[in-house]
């Protein structure tokens, strides 16, 4: 009996030590390299198709800005008159050949207006690139946290299965000694079956979470994950990150402001396009009959009869009004989203502190007392099983609460991420 009691006491002590230490302690595998969250984000940023698309969009916008600054190309005109007629104009005897360029001259500030639109589009593409990077960072963080949490749930399930097997051996000894009914061994055997099945489920979930992370970052994970990211909590007197509820400078509002700037530049371009351009054509004319040369100078001006540009201005003005309304709406939405995210992060931190602190400590102590009482015959098996079930549920709840806080914090950081251009 002394041997049995010593074994049960050792099992209880091991369970407490395992729970107190971070799961997957690197002391068990000292040579393993830790694959950090920062490394995962960096790897995903280079492999994500969204990041590649955002870079290509910036390059296209830069090319568009260069294109907008180019002047229109001149045109070479060749004109042959007084040919294939009758009398003296038969054949080419009286032909008059005119050769010269037609040089378009833009008026009304069209070129500078085009450049302004292209510059605004480039700024918008750069902001979108920053938005994409922030989205990738959020996605990878959530997948990384879930992978760490899944591995910790698996470690907890294995620990609970070990405890259930210890309880089965203790129940078997009690039944063989005639101190308990065979029903206790049956209950303990059922508990072991459920515990081992839970290990299988958690192992599949942990593998799936790791595969999802590998798929997102685009490369295999060469080391162990950094489990410390799950245990970062704010102080007891901190209720969410201390950031002002101000949407100014956030990525969402910067994008809305950039859209308004594009629309505003579009109005200027539409007004500039109302001014007709000139086509100046200095040329040389050769008279076939006398073999003489003469200078020719032409000026062409389009007549805005059917399209005077008013419809384009009306369209651009309406788009500017729409963009202005949307940026004001975005300011309200982002302010509300930041406030909600702050409250959610603060509540998640409170829940995590309670679940991973006093609640877990109480559940561990209750399980320890139940094991000792069951060993000494003071408590029945039902009390022991209930205490172990409560401990298992509390451990999982603590892991879930820690993961929920990390996800809430990542979401808040995504909302308050600053735009690359301070102007926005």
């Amino acid at each position: 009996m002394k041997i049995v009691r010593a074994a049960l006491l050792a099992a209880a002590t091991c369970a407490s030590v395992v729970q107190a230490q971070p799961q997957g302690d690197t002391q068990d595998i000292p040579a393993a390299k830790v694959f950090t969250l920062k490394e995962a984000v960096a790897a995903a940023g280079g492999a994500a198709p969204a990041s590649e698309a955002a870079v290509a969009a910036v390059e296209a916008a830069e090319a568009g800005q260069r294109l907008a600054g180019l002047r229109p190309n001149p045109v070479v005109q060749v004109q042959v008159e007084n040919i294939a007629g009758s009398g003296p104009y038969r054949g080419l005897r009286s032909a008059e050949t005119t050769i010269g360029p037609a040089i378009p001259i833009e008026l009304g500030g069209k070129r500078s207006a085009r450049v302004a639109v292209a510059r605004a589009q480039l700024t918008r593409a750069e902001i979108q690139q920053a938005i994409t990077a922030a989205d990738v960072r959020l996605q990878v963080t959530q997948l990384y946290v879930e992978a760490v949490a899944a591995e910790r749930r698996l470690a907890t399930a294995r620990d609970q299965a070990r405890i259930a097997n210890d309880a089965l051996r203790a129940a078997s000894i009690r039944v063989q000694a005639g101190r308990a009914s065979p029903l206790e061994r049956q209950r303990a055997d059922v508990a072991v079956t459920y515990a081992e099945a839970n290990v299988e489920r958690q192992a599949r979930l942990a593998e799936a979470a790791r595969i999802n992370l590998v798929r997102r970052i685009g490369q295999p994970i060469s080391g162990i994950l950094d489990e410390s990211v799950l245990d970062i909590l704010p102080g007891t007197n901190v209720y969410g990150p201390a950031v002002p509820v101000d949407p100014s400078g956030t990525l969402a509002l910067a994008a809305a402001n950039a859209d308004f700037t594009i629309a505003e530049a579009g109005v200027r371009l539409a007004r500039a396009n109302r001014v007709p351009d000139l086509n100046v054509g200095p040329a040389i004319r050769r008279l076939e009959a006398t073999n003489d040369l003469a200078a020719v100078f032409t000026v062409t001006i389009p007549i805005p009869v059917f399209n005077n540009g008013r419809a384009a201005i009306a369209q651009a003005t309406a788009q500017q009004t729409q963009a202005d309304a949307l940026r004001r709406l975005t300011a309200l939405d982002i302010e509300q989203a930041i406030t909600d995210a702050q409250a959610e992060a603060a509540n998640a931190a409170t829940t995590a502190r309670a679940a991973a602190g006093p609640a877990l400590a109480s559940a561990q102590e209750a399980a320890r007392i139940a094991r000792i009482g069951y060993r000494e015959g003071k408590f029945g098996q039902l009390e022991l099983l209930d205490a172990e079930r409560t401990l298992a549920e509390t451990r999982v709840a603590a892991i879930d609460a820690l993961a929920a806080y990390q996800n809430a914090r990542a979401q808040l950081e995504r909302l308050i991420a600053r735009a690359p251009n301070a102007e926005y």
Side-chain angles (χ1 to χ4, degrees), residues 128-214:
Q128 185 60 44
Q129 184 180 20
I131 290 174
T132 301
D135 289 339
V136 170
R137 187 182 306 110
L138 173 61
Q139 294 167 359
V140 173
T141 299
Q142 291 175 334
L143 289 174
Y144 193 96
V145 167
E146 178 55 32
V148 171
E151 290 184 356
R152 188 169 291 188
R153 294 188 192 99
L154 174 59
T156 299
R158 288 171 175 167
D159 190 46
Q160 292 301 129
R162 179 187 58 79
I163 293 174
N165 278 286
D166 291 344
L168 174 60
R169 285 191 294 270
S172 299
I173 294 174
R174 285 168 58 89
V175 171
Q176 291 176 358
R179 297 177 55 194
S181 167
L183 185 60
E184 287 195 7
R185 182 168 54 192
Q186 295 298 324
R187 291 197 193 102
D189 187 59
V190 171
V192 169
T193 301
Y194 279 114
E196 292 177 349
N198 186 46
V199 170
E200 293 183 9
R201 289 195 299 269
Q202 296 303 327
R204 294 190 190 98
L205 292 176
E207 182 181 4
R210 196 177 184 92
I211 289 175
N212 289 334
L213 178 61
V214 169

Side-chain angles (χ1 to χ4, degrees), residues 57-68:
V58 172
E59 293 175 352
E62 291 174 345
Q65 185 175 4
R66 293 193 300 270
L67 178 63

Side-chain angles (χ1 to χ4, degrees), residues 85-111:
S86 59
Y89 301 105
R90 186 182 305 240
L92 300 176
R93 288 178 300 176
S94 300
E96 297 180 1
T97 304
T98 306
I99 300 176
I103 303 174
I105 300 177
E106 292 184 306
L107 302 177
K110 294 183 180 64
R111 181 165 169 263

